[in-house]
Amino acid sequence: MDDCIFCQLIKEPHHINFLLEDEVGIAFNDINPQAPTHCLVIPKRHVASAKELGEKDVALLGHLMGLCQQVASLTGIHKEGYRYVMNTGENGGQTVNHLHFHVLGGRRMGWPPG
Ligand code: AMP
Ligand code: ZN
């Protein structure tokens, strides 16, 4: 998708330091961190949001979850706990229309979310 900022990041990787990359996805630090550790895990394939996901995407989701787990281990947040977030649509607070998991940790998270 030409007008998607995350597709642009994937195409022009010198703009960003990837924490992890494989054939399916990438992980990188969020530009506006909301916690001491705040990374994003995204698929290389453009998927606009979780609204588009279904049974056909089981393998993709499993793979992305594996990348999230690796990010949690690499950053050390797996020891104390962490939070995965996938904002979806307007009311969900999604601002970038390319599927992404937020991986947040390094502080105690509040509940309920804002
Ligand atoms: P969401 O609001 O759930 O759609 O999350 C989008 C996230 O992408 C926000 O946390 C932004 O700070 C982050 N973001 C936007 N542009 C960039 C960028 N160029 N590099 C890293 N993170 C970004
Ligand atoms: Zn995209």
Side-chain angles (χ1 to χ4, degrees):
M1 286 274 289
D2 289 346
D3 58 348
C4 170
I5 59 167
F6 285 176
C7 284
Q8 290 297 330
L9 288 181
I10 293 161
K11 266 199 279 183
E12 296 171 37
H14 53 279
H15 286 316
I16 199 150
N17 281 327
F18 293 164
L19 294 172
L20 288 171
E21 174 174 15
D22 66 14
E23 68 285 2
V24 174
I26 58 172
F28 52 96
N29 286 316
D30 196 292
I31 204 170
N32 182 24
Q34 301 301 314
T37 295
H38 185 176
C39 307
L40 299 174
V41 171
I42 72 173
K44 287 186 168 173
R45 165 161 77 87
H46 181 85
V47 178
S49 84
K51 282 188 244 179
E52 307 201 342
L53 293 172
E55 293 216 5
K56 66 183 189 322
D57 303 303
V58 166
L60 175 73
L61 275 173
H63 197 97
L64 293 176
M65 191 53 68
L67 287 176
C68 289
Q69 307 285 45
Q70 285 184 57
V71 167
S73 294
L74 266 176
T75 57
I77 60 175
H78 66 299
K79 296 186 200 110
E80 308 283 331
Y82 49 87
R83 185 171 289 178
Y84 296 151
V85 174
M86 189 183 280
N87 297 325
T88 304
E90 203 173 335
N91 274 2
Q94 185 176 4
T95 60
V96 176
N97 292 323
H98 182 124
L99 188 77
H100 49 281
F101 281 99
H102 295 261
V103 180
L104 296 142
R107 67 167 169 82
R108 187 81 182 219
M109 299 294 155
W111 191 265

